[in-house]
Amino acid sequence: MEKPDKPTHLIEFETMVLGRHLQPSAPRSRRGGGLDRSAYTLLSRIRMQGPMSIGQLSDAFGLDASTLNRQTAAMLRAGLVERIPDPDGGIARKFRITEEGQRGLDEERSENIRGLERVMAAWAPEEVADFAGYLKRLNIDIENLDGRPWPRP
């Protein structure tokens, strides 16, 4: 492999490596706990935005309905979401996060945060804050190009 000669080359490489490390639920899933990555992401979005239909999820994630049908069916079977009539009176049924889904999401998020705190234990607080700001900026710029903003608290 040739050595990255531009900062964007290094960012590309490091985000690829980071993606490998951001599979924290895989080992826990094999031990009988944790959410898979798609469930974690979908539950996070539904929690932030409220009940969502397959069409809304498709628009939000840029995924086809068949992919989302498989993912939401698995979450339904696991008791993480439930289907409800559209609270706004629309025709499409929506997915709402259940108490079990909330609990699983909270546990997964807490485990992820504990892991990040272990990794960054030697970082100065301002370094952690700066890094968080850069990640947010990167994500927002990607979302702006993609046209799919992520709701933020």
Side-chain angles (χ1 to χ4, degrees):
M1 179 179 136
E2 57 185 83
K3 187 174 171 97
D5 59 348
K6 294 182 181 177
T8 52
H9 295 179
L10 185 57
I11 291 168
E12 184 281 330
F13 178 79
E14 293 298 340
T15 56
M16 180 273 302
V17 174
L18 180 63
R20 178 191 166 283
H21 295 302
L22 292 181
Q23 304 283 335
S25 62
R28 286 197 303 280
S29 295
R30 287 192 289 271
R31 290 194 311 257
L35 300 172
D36 69 35
R37 195 166 126 192
S38 65
Y40 183 77
T41 306
L42 287 168
L43 289 173
S44 294
R45 183 65 182 249
I46 293 168
R47 176 186 272 173
M48 299 237 13
Q49 195 162 333
M52 297 178 75
S53 67
I54 288 289
Q56 289 171 316
L57 290 168
S58 178
D59 290 343
F61 289 97
L63 297 172
D64 62 71
S66 64
T67 298
L68 288 162
N69 278 321
R70 283 191 302 276
Q71 292 173 344
T72 55
M75 293 190 326
L76 279 165
R77 284 191 304 275
L80 303 173
V81 294
E82 60 188 348
R83 288 191 85 145
I84 61 167
D86 184 347
D88 300 322
I91 297 171
R93 294 177 53 85
K94 294 193 173 187
F95 293 94
R96 176 174 61 195
I97 191 169
T98 63
E99 285 185 30
E100 180 65 25
Q102 300 250 20
R103 190 171 28 261
L105 185 57
D106 289 341
E107 289 171 4
E108 190 77 13
R109 181 158 287 132
S110 293
E111 183 66 27
N112 290 343
I113 290 168
R114 281 191 296 275
L116 285 169
E117 288 170 346
R118 283 191 304 271
V119 168
M120 299 175 156
W123 291 31
E126 57 275 2
E127 290 175 311
V128 176
D130 288 347
F131 186 64
Y134 291 134
L135 279 176
K136 180 179 179 182
R137 181 177 176 185
L138 178 66
N139 279 322
I140 288 172
D141 287 347
I142 291 168
E143 293 161 11
N144 287 339
L145 287 173
D146 190 40
R148 290 187 178 89
W150 189 273
R152 287 180 167 74

CSV table of all heavy atoms in Angstrom, one decimal, residues 36 38-39 42 54 63-78 81 95:
chain,number,residue,atom,x,y,z
A,36,ASP,N,-27.9,-5.3,16.6
A,36,ASP,CA,-27.1,-5.2,15.4
A,36,ASP,C,-27.0,-3.8,14.9
A,36,ASP,O,-27.8,-3.0,15.4
A,36,ASP,CB,-27.5,-6.2,14.3
A,36,ASP,CG,-28.8,-5.9,13.7
A,36,ASP,OD1,-29.2,-4.7,13.5
A,36,ASP,OD2,-29.6,-6.8,13.3
A,38,SER,N,-27.8,-2.2,12.2
A,38,SER,CA,-29.0,-1.6,11.5
A,38,SER,C,-30.1,-1.3,12.5
A,38,SER,O,-30.7,-0.3,12.4
A,38,SER,CB,-29.5,-2.5,10.4
A,38,SER,OG,-30.0,-3.8,10.9
A,39,ALA,N,-30.3,-2.2,13.5
A,39,ALA,CA,-31.3,-2.0,14.5
A,39,ALA,C,-30.9,-0.8,15.3
A,39,ALA,O,-31.8,0.1,15.6
A,39,ALA,CB,-31.5,-3.2,15.4
A,42,LEU,N,-31.6,2.4,13.1
A,42,LEU,CA,-33.0,2.6,12.9
A,42,LEU,C,-33.7,3.0,14.2
A,42,LEU,O,-34.5,4.0,14.2
A,42,LEU,CB,-33.7,1.3,12.3
A,42,LEU,CG,-33.4,1.0,10.9
A,42,LEU,CD1,-33.9,-0.4,10.5
A,42,LEU,CD2,-34.0,2.0,9.9
A,54,ILE,N,-42.4,2.9,6.5
A,54,ILE,CA,-41.4,2.4,5.6
A,54,ILE,C,-40.9,3.4,4.6
A,54,ILE,O,-39.8,3.6,4.4
A,54,ILE,CB,-41.8,1.1,4.9
A,54,ILE,CG1,-41.9,-0.1,5.9
A,54,ILE,CG2,-40.9,0.7,3.7
A,54,ILE,CD1,-40.6,-0.7,6.3
A,63,LEU,N,-32.5,3.9,1.5
A,63,LEU,CA,-32.6,2.4,1.3
A,63,LEU,C,-33.9,2.0,0.7
A,63,LEU,O,-34.9,2.7,0.8
A,63,LEU,CB,-32.5,1.7,2.7
A,63,LEU,CG,-31.1,1.9,3.4
A,63,LEU,CD1,-31.2,1.3,4.8
A,63,LEU,CD2,-30.0,1.3,2.6
A,64,ASP,N,-33.9,0.9,-0.1
A,64,ASP,CA,-35.1,0.5,-0.7
A,64,ASP,C,-36.0,-0.2,0.3
A,64,ASP,O,-35.6,-0.6,1.4
A,64,ASP,CB,-34.9,-0.4,-1.9
A,64,ASP,CG,-34.2,-1.7,-1.5
A,64,ASP,OD1,-34.8,-2.6,-0.9
A,64,ASP,OD2,-33.0,-1.9,-1.8
A,65,ALA,N,-37.3,-0.2,0.0
A,65,ALA,CA,-38.3,-0.7,0.9
A,65,ALA,C,-38.1,-2.2,1.3
A,65,ALA,O,-38.3,-2.6,2.5
A,65,ALA,CB,-39.7,-0.5,0.3
A,66,SER,N,-37.6,-3.0,0.4
A,66,SER,CA,-37.4,-4.4,0.7
A,66,SER,C,-36.3,-4.6,1.8
A,66,SER,O,-36.5,-5.4,2.7
A,66,SER,CB,-37.0,-5.2,-0.6
A,66,SER,OG,-35.8,-4.8,-1.1
A,67,THR,N,-35.3,-3.8,1.7
A,67,THR,CA,-34.2,-3.8,2.8
A,67,THR,C,-34.8,-3.4,4.1
A,67,THR,O,-34.6,-4.1,5.1
A,67,THR,CB,-33.1,-2.9,2.4
A,67,THR,OG1,-32.5,-3.4,1.2
A,67,THR,CG2,-32.0,-2.9,3.5
A,68,LEU,N,-35.6,-2.4,4.1
A,68,LEU,CA,-36.2,-1.9,5.4
A,68,LEU,C,-37.3,-2.8,5.9
A,68,LEU,O,-37.4,-3.0,7.1
A,68,LEU,CB,-36.8,-0.5,5.2
A,68,LEU,CG,-35.7,0.6,5.0
A,68,LEU,CD1,-36.2,1.8,4.4
A,68,LEU,CD2,-35.0,0.8,6.4
A,69,ASN,N,-38.0,-3.5,5.0
A,69,ASN,CA,-39.0,-4.5,5.4
A,69,ASN,C,-38.3,-5.6,6.2
A,69,ASN,O,-38.8,-6.1,7.2
A,69,ASN,CB,-39.8,-5.0,4.2
A,69,ASN,CG,-40.9,-4.1,3.9
A,69,ASN,OD1,-41.6,-3.5,4.7
A,69,ASN,ND2,-41.2,-4.0,2.6
A,70,ARG,N,-37.1,-6.1,5.6
A,70,ARG,CA,-36.4,-7.2,6.3
A,70,ARG,C,-35.9,-6.7,7.7
A,70,ARG,O,-36.0,-7.4,8.7
A,70,ARG,CB,-35.2,-7.6,5.5
A,70,ARG,CG,-35.6,-8.5,4.3
A,70,ARG,CD,-34.4,-9.1,3.7
A,70,ARG,NE,-33.4,-8.2,3.2
A,70,ARG,CZ,-33.5,-7.6,2.0
A,70,ARG,NH1,-34.4,-7.8,1.2
A,70,ARG,NH2,-32.5,-6.7,1.7
A,71,GLN,N,-35.3,-5.5,7.7
A,71,GLN,CA,-34.8,-5.0,9.0
A,71,GLN,C,-35.9,-4.7,10.0
A,71,GLN,O,-35.7,-5.0,11.2
A,71,GLN,CB,-34.0,-3.7,8.7
A,71,GLN,CG,-32.7,-3.9,7.9
A,71,GLN,CD,-32.0,-2.7,7.5
A,71,GLN,OE1,-32.5,-1.6,7.5
A,71,GLN,NE2,-30.7,-2.8,7.1
A,72,THR,N,-37.0,-4.1,9.6
A,72,THR,CA,-38.1,-3.8,10.6
A,72,THR,C,-38.8,-5.1,11.0
A,72,THR,O,-39.2,-5.2,12.1
A,72,THR,CB,-39.1,-2.8,10.0
A,72,THR,OG1,-39.6,-3.3,8.7
A,72,THR,CG2,-38.4,-1.4,9.8
A,73,ALA,N,-38.8,-6.1,10.1
A,73,ALA,CA,-39.5,-7.4,10.5
A,73,ALA,C,-38.6,-8.0,11.6
A,73,ALA,O,-39.2,-8.6,12.5
A,73,ALA,CB,-39.6,-8.3,9.3
A,74,ALA,N,-37.3,-8.0,11.5
A,74,ALA,CA,-36.4,-8.5,12.5
A,74,ALA,C,-36.6,-7.8,13.8
A,74,ALA,O,-36.7,-8.4,14.9
A,74,ALA,CB,-35.0,-8.5,12.1
A,75,MET,N,-36.8,-6.5,13.7
A,75,MET,CA,-37.0,-5.7,15.0
A,75,MET,C,-38.4,-5.9,15.6
A,75,MET,O,-38.5,-6.0,16.8
A,75,MET,CB,-36.8,-4.2,14.7
A,75,MET,CG,-35.4,-3.8,14.3
A,75,MET,SD,-34.9,-2.1,14.2
A,75,MET,CE,-36.4,-1.3,13.6
A,76,LEU,N,-39.4,-6.2,14.7
A,76,LEU,CA,-40.7,-6.5,15.2
A,76,LEU,C,-40.6,-7.9,16.0
A,76,LEU,O,-41.2,-8.0,17.1
A,76,LEU,CB,-41.7,-6.6,14.1
A,76,LEU,CG,-42.3,-5.4,13.6
A,76,LEU,CD1,-43.0,-5.6,12.2
A,76,LEU,CD2,-43.3,-4.8,14.6
A,77,ARG,N,-40.0,-8.9,15.4
A,77,ARG,CA,-39.8,-10.2,16.0
A,77,ARG,C,-39.1,-10.1,17.3
A,77,ARG,O,-39.4,-10.8,18.3
A,77,ARG,CB,-39.1,-11.2,15.1
A,77,ARG,CG,-39.9,-11.7,13.9
A,77,ARG,CD,-39.3,-12.9,13.2
A,77,ARG,NE,-38.0,-12.5,12.7
A,77,ARG,CZ,-37.7,-11.9,11.5
A,77,ARG,NH1,-38.7,-11.6,10.7
A,77,ARG,NH2,-36.5,-11.7,11.1
A,78,ALA,N,-38.1,-9.2,17.4
A,78,ALA,CA,-37.4,-9.0,18.6
A,78,ALA,C,-38.1,-8.2,19.7
A,78,ALA,O,-37.6,-8.0,20.8
A,78,ALA,CB,-36.0,-8.4,18.3
A,81,VAL,N,-39.7,-2.8,18.1
A,81,VAL,CA,-40.6,-1.8,17.6
A,81,VAL,C,-42.0,-2.5,17.5
A,81,VAL,O,-42.1,-3.7,17.6
A,81,VAL,CB,-40.2,-1.3,16.2
A,81,VAL,CG1,-39.0,-0.5,16.2
A,81,VAL,CG2,-40.1,-2.5,15.2
A,95,PHE,N,-43.8,2.6,12.5
A,95,PHE,CA,-43.1,1.8,13.5
A,95,PHE,C,-42.8,2.8,14.7
A,95,PHE,O,-42.3,3.9,14.5
A,95,PHE,CB,-41.8,1.3,12.9
A,95,PHE,CG,-42.0,0.3,11.9
A,95,PHE,CD1,-42.0,0.6,10.5
A,95,PHE,CD2,-42.2,-1.1,12.2
A,95,PHE,CE1,-42.3,-0.3,9.5
A,95,PHE,CE2,-42.5,-2.0,11.2
A,95,PHE,CZ,-42.5,-1.7,9.9
